[in-house]
Amino acid sequence: CVELCNNRYLLQNGDGMEIDMMQEPDVMVYLITGFLDSGKTQFLNFTLSQDYFQIDGKTLLILCEEGEEEYDSRELLKYGVVIETVEDKEDLTEEWLEEMNKKHKPERVVIEYNGMWQVSEFEKMKLPAGWAIEQKITTVDASTFQMYLTNLKPLFVEMVKGAELVLFNRCEDKKPLAGYRRSVKVVSPQAEVIFEDENGEVDNIFEDEVPYDLKAPVIEIPREDYGIWYIDMQEHPERYKGKVVEFVAKVMKPKAFPSKVFYPGRMGMTCCADDTSFLGYVCRSAYAPKLNAGDWVKIRAKVRYANLSVYGGEGPVLEAENIEPAEPIEELVYFN
C-alpha cells in the first residue's frame, strides 16, 4: 500500500511497518537562513562554484537582503546561476515565485532568506508545482550569536528548526561553543552543527566533557545539568549504553504508550517563556501503572538504545531499576 503525503511515499510492507521513501522533487529548493552578515553570501559564493554542486540546467538564486559581501553575477553565470532580488517582504509571494518559475524554468532554486523575516511564513507558502525544500541551512556569526539569541531568540529558533546544517563561523572563543551546540540541538536534534574559525573547522569543543561523573557506578544528573545530559544522550550514545543514570523528572503518560511505559522529563525553554517543550526519554517499568501523570519522581535506570517511532529513529530507552517520589523542580531547563 502506498500513500503520498507531504512529498513522501509511505510504503507499508507485509508486516504493517511503514517505510518512508522520499519523492524526488523536480526542482530542489535550498533555503539559506541567518541574520545579516552571518556569512550567508560567503557560504553561497563558495558553494555555487564547487564542482560537486554543479548541475545541468539553470540555478535560480533569490536574494532577500543585501549584506556587505556581494555576488559577481557574471562569474556566477559561468555556473548557470541567475540572480533575482526581493527587496520587500511583501514582494515574496506565491504569485512572484510562479512568475520566476515561468521566466527562468530553473532546475534548482537557492534562496538567501532575510534574517529579519519569519522563516515559517516562507515554509507555509505554496511553492510552484514540482518545487520542494530539499535542504535548510543556517549560518551563524559566533561573535554576535549571544546578542542575537538574547534579543531575537524566536527568529533564531525558526531558522534552525528543521535545519540539516547549522554553520557557526568566526569562532574565536571555544568556551561557549558547547552551549551553542546545545541551543541548536534542543530545537533540531537532527541538525549537523559545525564550528569554523578563520583557519577552518574547530575541533574538540567538548574538551571538558560533561559536568558529572560518567565513570561512576550510578551517573547522578544534577538538576542544573539536566539540559546538558538530555542533549549528550542524543549526541554520544556510546557514553551511556549499559550505564545506570539517576535523575529527577516529571511523569508524562501519553495515551498511546503501553501500561508499563511512561515518559519522564522536564520542561525546557526552546525559545522564550511562551515556547517551551517537554524534554524526556521513554522509560519502562513494572511500577509505571501506579504512576500518575504530573507526579515527580527520582528514577534510577539502565540505558539502552532502540528504534522507536516516538524518536523517528534510534533513541534512548530507560529500563527503570528504582522509582521513588521526589520534590518538584519548577524552574525550566536551559541550554547555555
Side-chain angles (χ1 to χ4, degrees), residues 180-293:
Y180 292 174
R181 183 195 292 270
R182 289 190 289 271
S183 295
V184 171
K185 284 291 188 177
V186 71
V187 177
S188 288
Q190 81 291 338
E192 181 179 2
V193 185
I194 295 176
F195 298 94
E196 292 183 345
D197 59 17
E198 59 182 8
N199 298 316
E201 192 168 339
V202 178
D203 296 320
N204 301 321
I205 68 168
F206 289 102
E207 287 179 343
D208 295 329
E209 297 292 328
V210 290
Y212 41 82
D213 187 0
L214 288 169
K215 296 181 180 179
V218 177
I219 303 171
E220 297 182 12
I221 311 301
R223 58 195 292 170
E224 65 272 17
D225 295 329
Y226 184 91
I228 294 175
W229 170 72
Y230 176 79
I231 297 299
D232 204 55
M233 284 269 282
Q234 300 172 22
E235 293 195 315
H236 299 285
E238 74 282 356
R239 292 179 175 176
Y240 299 95
K241 284 181 180 177
K243 299 289 186 70
V244 177
V245 297
E246 186 173 89
F247 61 98
V248 173
K250 189 175 185 178
V251 173
M252 180 182 286
K253 304 189 77 174
K255 292 181 180 179
F257 277 24
S259 62
K260 294 183 180 180
V261 178
F262 68 105
Y263 207 52
R266 287 174 55 189
M267 296 301 297
M269 182 178 290
T270 58
C271 171
C272 53
D274 295 325
D275 188 2
T276 57
S277 298
F278 190 80
L279 309 173
Y281 292 120
V282 171
C283 184
R284 289 164 46 93
S285 172
Y287 188 71
K290 299 180 181 180
L291 297 174
N292 298 310

Side-chain angles (χ1 to χ4, degrees), residues 47-65:
T47 302
L48 290 168
S49 64
Q50 298 305 299
D51 290 341
Y52 64 79
F53 204 65
Q54 303 312 304
I55 60 171
D56 293 327
K58 186 183 294 185
T59 295
L60 171 60
L61 173 59
I62 298 175
L63 306 181
C64 299
E65 67 179 355

Side-chain angles (χ1 to χ4, degrees), residues 39-46 65 67 69-71 112 139:
K40 297 191 295 293
T41 302
Q42 184 180 19
F43 172 80
L44 285 176
N45 261 327
F46 173 81
E65 67 179 355
E69 191 161 335
E70 297 181 351
Y71 293 96
E112 183 181 317
T139 59

Side-chain angles (χ1 to χ4, degrees), residues 279-336:
L279 309 173
Y281 292 120
V282 171
C283 184
R284 289 164 46 93
S285 172
Y287 188 71
K290 299 180 181 180
L291 297 174
N292 298 310
D295 287 348
W296 282 89
V297 292
K298 178 185 283 188
I299 300 168
R300 186 169 66 245
K302 193 169 187 176
V303 180
R304 66 181 179 89
Y305 286 77
N307 283 301
L308 298 178
S309 59
V310 68
Y311 297 137
E314 187 177 75
V317 177
L318 306 174
E319 301 287 351
E321 297 179 350
N322 186 68
I323 298 176
E324 60 186 61
E327 291 296 318
I329 300 176
E330 300 300 335
E331 67 262 25
L332 295 172
V333 175
Y334 294 86
F335 296 90
N336 69 61

